[in-house]
Amino acid sequence: MRTSNHLIGALNFLTFLLSIPILGGGIWLSGRANNTDCLKFLQWPLIVIGVAIMVVSLAGFAGACYRNIFLMYFYLWAMFVIIAALIGFVIFAYVVTDKGSDRVVPGRVYREYYLVDYSGWLEKRVASDSNWRKISSCIRDSHVCPKLRRMTGGFPEPADMFYRRKLNPVQ
């Protein structure tokens, strides 16, 4: 029994240490969040996840080291809820994106993705005016479009050269 408590304590201490950069990343984003909607969107989930992992790992660490049964029960139930939520999120993401896939486009190296190929829920969320404004703001703030621009001999790249380039799905 002593070895398992030490193992649980050590694993939870490592988990606690790993939660610090997650929480720090959320706090760092909150300092920059006034600039873009993307950063505002990411800051709170990171902070909540960092704090949740920190609290649960501290409860597991203290429960294992001090043999506190209440903390161990809290730790087990909290871990159950976190794991169930992660499994639920994975299943939800799979169901929402299951039907979508890329399509071959004649005369182009890259493949295209069409919103209508995905679930109706995702299509409605992306196509709604308020959500699309946030998505387009994220795309603008990431400067994806200017990064696609290439110059050939001092002139912008011709369209036929662009269509022959290998692009990732975001591009």
Side-chain angles (χ1 to χ4, degrees):
M1 187 70 169
R2 212 175 266 249
T3 305
S4 66
N5 280 348
H6 291 299
L7 181 63
I8 290 172
L11 288 174
N12 281 298
F13 183 71
L14 288 173
T15 306
F16 173 78
L17 291 177
L18 291 173
S19 71
I20 293 171
I22 296 171
L23 183 60
I27 293 170
W28 178 76
L29 282 177
S30 70
R32 298 173 163 259
N34 55 359
N35 297 338
T36 65
D37 287 333
C38 292
L39 295 180
K40 287 179 188 176
F41 174 75
L42 289 174
Q43 89 183 39
W44 286 111
L46 278 177
I47 290 173
V48 169
I49 289 169
V51 168
I53 291 172
M54 189 176 280
V55 168
V56 170
S57 63
L58 281 174
F61 180 74
C65 290
Y66 298 113
R67 295 184 183 170
N68 186 322
I69 293 179
F70 172 75
L71 287 176
M72 288 306 291
Y73 276 123
F74 171 76
Y75 166 73
L76 290 173
W77 279 106
M79 285 302 290
F80 172 76
V81 168
I82 290 171
I83 291 170
L86 287 173
I87 290 171
F89 175 74
V90 168
I91 291 171
F92 169 76
Y94 179 75
V95 168
V96 167
T97 61
D98 180 39
K99 295 185 296 183
S101 64
D102 54 358
R103 296 183 189 176
V104 175
V105 180
R108 298 182 186 173
V109 177
Y110 60 86
R111 300 169 76 82
E112 287 191 353
Y113 295 81
Y114 293 94
L115 189 56
V116 294
D117 292 343
Y118 293 90
S119 73
W121 179 86
L122 183 63
E123 183 180 357
K124 288 176 190 169
R125 295 280 297 177
V126 171
S128 77
D129 286 338
S130 62
N131 288 334
W132 180 247
R133 267 189 253 114
K134 292 175 186 174
I135 293 168
S136 64
S137 170
C138 288
I139 293 170
R140 275 192 311 276
D141 293 341
S142 68
H143 304 291
V144 171
C145 296
K147 289 177 186 173
L148 286 174
R149 188 177 331 147
R150 287 190 182 165
M151 302 299 273
T152 307
F155 296 100
E157 172 183 50
D160 62 329
M161 285 180 68
F162 176 80
Y163 293 141
R164 285 186 268 138
R165 282 179 31 200
K166 242 188 155 120
L167 304 173
N168 67 40
V170 173
Q171 292 172 327

